[in-house]
Amino acid sequence: MLTATKIRIYPNAVQADKLAKAFGCARWYWNNSLAETQKVYQETGKGLGQYQLNARLPKLKSEIEWLGETHSQVLQSVSLHLSRAFVNFFERRAQYPQFKSKHRKQSIQYPQGVKVVDACKVYLPKIGHVKAIVHRELAGSIKTVTVSKDPSGKYFASILCENLVAMPDISLNGKILGIDVGLTDLAVTSDGSKFANPKHVLKAQKNLAKKQQHLSRKAKGSHTRNKARLLVAKAHERVANARQDYLHKLSTRLVNENQVIAVEDLHVKGMMKNHQLARAIGDAGWGSFTNMLKYKTARQGKGYIEVNRFFASSKTCSCCMHAQAKMPLEIRMWICDQCGTRHDRDINAAINIRDEAQRMIAAGAVATANGGTVSQAKGRKSSVLARAVEVRSPQL
């Protein structure tokens, strides 16, 4: 099993300067390799793979001396990530690779050579022993370490370890909980519980706008602009940390109290194209919430089922299964035309999601991580029972 732990590191001034050079070299090599790949593709119709990109490194180092100041495997990791980015693009899992900017989050990856010393230091090749806070035990052997710097100026190291503990077998026995996510209430369960949406961005909107206004009035390249930029970055970081903290606590509670979690397979990226709801959807964090439910259930050997997004959970009566002709978003309470039952829109949807998950389990129409039966609807997988391969541990 692979587990990733994100820890805070505190480099001194000299180490921070070395990390800045490493970030710059990795960023320059990415941009240079991406430009060269595009050029070769236009000339020959074929791009450059990982081995071809690595073959360019000796010549580049002989021409550009400061490239040699960075650990060689850091640059080789850039080649690996760029080649994977193109594979993901051609397989329609990601967008086309973009050029990187020095004004955004910076990161490098060490595939080996990193050591954790006495739970208070991390040794990075060509950087030295960096002070760190290792807040949990790292079990297993270290596979890769990704060092990053946030826009707020904080440094982190994400340590990926591999241990000999096998993933627990997934069990679909026990209590099934249906969850319907929304904007007014972040999560509504089939038990009738409602968990409010904190709306972190909306609460901090006035503060964010004020700090952003101060930033826009500073001269570019000035010291005061950099100070204003850090204030904006820290304000956004507080909002993101508050959201992550709430989602982690809520997802942990729901997973601990139930055996099987059933949610709707939402197309969040498509919904974000709605300019009227994009900010609210992004602030709610539906994607992060369902992802947390997915890997936390798998880590405990519990079930996670995604019901097909085309299943009419909101406008179908959970008592008689009669589907209403129309169900606009503004209608929150409705009465079934056939049986006369009065429904809360969100609770009814959560009950329908739970019942649909039960039918899928009974029919064996549940996909597993290592294969299994998948029922099709409009050319899509009806459900996914996923296994986590990574344990996230954000610094809050």
Side-chain angles (χ1 to χ4, degrees):
M1 182 168 62
L2 298 175
T3 59
T5 304
K6 189 175 182 180
I7 64 175
R8 180 84 179 272
I9 60 175
Y10 299 86
N12 55 36
V14 177
Q15 293 170 341
D17 183 64
K18 291 181 180 179
L19 283 173
K21 292 181 179 178
F23 291 145
C25 291
R27 183 179 63 250
W28 182 91
Y29 180 57
W30 171 282
N31 293 338
N32 178 270
S33 299
L34 179 56
E36 184 66 20
T37 301
Q38 292 176 343
K39 179 182 176 182
V40 173
Y41 181 80
Q42 292 175 356
E43 295 175 352
T44 64
K46 295 182 179 180
L48 298 177
Q50 177 186 354
Y51 298 105
Q52 294 169 311
L53 292 174
N54 285 335
R56 300 175 60 246
L57 276 173
K59 182 179 179 181
L60 289 175
K61 287 184 177 181
S62 63
E63 297 175 354
I64 305 173
E65 296 182 359
W66 44 264
L67 274 181
E69 299 179 7
T70 304
H71 191 50
S72 60
Q73 293 188 347
V74 169
L75 300 180
Q76 293 173 8
S77 297
V78 174
S79 302
L80 173 62
H81 294 158
L82 182 59
S83 61
R84 285 182 177 177
F86 274 107
V87 172
N88 291 335
F89 167 72
F90 287 117
E91 294 183 358
R92 298 185 178 182
R93 292 195 299 266
Q95 296 181 347
Y96 188 82
Q98 301 293 319
F99 292 97
K100 295 188 176 182
S101 170
K102 65 178 181 180
H103 301 294
R104 298 183 180 180
K105 181 178 179 179
Q106 308 295 316
S107 65
I108 55 176
Q109 186 179 87
Y110 292 92
Q112 61 182 10
V114 178
K115 299 179 181 178
V116 178
V117 183
D118 299 330
C120 61
K121 291 183 179 179
V122 175
Y123 173 76
L124 302 176
K126 288 199 173 186
I127 304 296
H129 290 83
V130 183
K131 179 183 176 181
I133 297 180
V134 184
H135 58 283
R136 64 176 59 181
E137 182 181 358
L138 302 176
S141 59
I142 298 177
K143 300 295 291 182
T144 62
V145 175
T146 302
V147 180
S148 61
K149 179 184 178 182
D150 287 351
S152 61
K154 296 180 180 179
Y155 293 85
F156 297 93
S158 181
I159 304 176
L160 181 66
C161 299
E162 181 182 25
N163 54 41
L164 300 179
V165 179
M167 291 294 297
D169 294 332
I170 302 298
S171 174
L172 298 178
N173 299 320
K175 181 181 178 181
I176 302 178
L177 184 73
I179 301 177
D180 179 64
V181 296
L183 297 177
T184 303
D185 296 301
L186 176 62
V188 179
T189 68
S190 54
D191 293 340
S193 301
K194 292 187 177 182
F195 300 92
N197 180 11
K199 300 181 180 179
H200 301 285
V201 171
L202 185 62
K203 293 179 181 178
Q205 189 172 7
K206 186 175 180 180
N207 180 46
L208 293 172
K210 184 177 180 180
K211 286 182 169 55
Q212 187 65 44
Q213 185 183 56
H214 289 167
L215 174 62
S216 64
R217 293 175 177 176
K218 306 299 181 183
K220 291 186 177 181
S222 64
H223 179 64
T224 55
R225 181 179 178 85
N226 186 54
K227 292 173 62 177
R229 182 194 61 79
L230 286 176
L231 291 176
V232 172
K234 290 180 180 179
H236 281 284
E237 184 183 51
R238 284 193 293 270
V239 172
N241 287 345
R243 181 188 300 110
Q244 288 291 102
D245 179 67
Y246 181 77
L247 294 179
H248 271 291
K249 290 177 179 177
L250 177 57
S251 60
T252 299
R253 175 181 173 180
L254 294 175
V255 171
N256 290 341
E257 295 177 353
N258 302 276
Q259 186 63 33
V260 180
I261 301 294
V263 298
E264 191 174 1
D265 178 24
L266 297 176
H267 185 33
V268 180
K269 289 185 178 180
M271 294 180 179
M272 291 291 288
K273 295 179 181 179
N274 185 335
H275 300 296
Q276 296 180 344
L277 298 176
R279 176 181 292 182
I281 294 174
D283 186 22
W286 291 345
S288 298
F289 178 58
T290 55
N291 190 43
M292 290 177 186
L293 292 173
K294 183 182 298 184
Y295 78 77
K296 289 179 181 180
T297 51
R299 187 170 59 186
Q300 297 185 23
K302 297 183 177 182
Y304 176 84
I305 299 176
E306 290 182 346
V307 175
N308 192 289
R309 69 184 62 158
F310 298 107
F311 174 65
S313 59
S314 296
K315 64 179 182 179
T316 300
C317 176
S318 58
C319 297
C320 65
M321 297 305 293
H322 170 71
Q324 299 291 108
K326 295 182 180 180
M327 187 64 62
L329 286 175
E330 61 269 15
I331 297 179
R332 311 314 301 174
M333 302 291 296
W334 58 280
I335 300 176
C336 179
D337 295 338
Q338 185 163 324
C339 67
T341 305
R342 183 178 179 85
H343 292 291
D344 178 286
R345 178 193 181 104
D346 298 328
I347 296 178
N348 177 72
I351 294 175
N352 283 329
I353 291 173
R354 180 201 62 189
D355 295 343
E356 177 68 8
Q358 290 176 336
R359 288 190 289 268
M360 291 163 57
I361 293 174
V366 176
T368 60
N370 55 357
T373 304
V374 180
S375 60
Q376 301 290 335
K378 295 189 178 181
R380 289 187 49 80
K381 293 183 179 180
S382 178
S383 65
V384 176
L385 180 61
R387 288 191 173 189
V389 296
E390 193 172 287
V391 178
R392 276 100 191 217
S393 174
Q395 181 74 23
L396 299 176

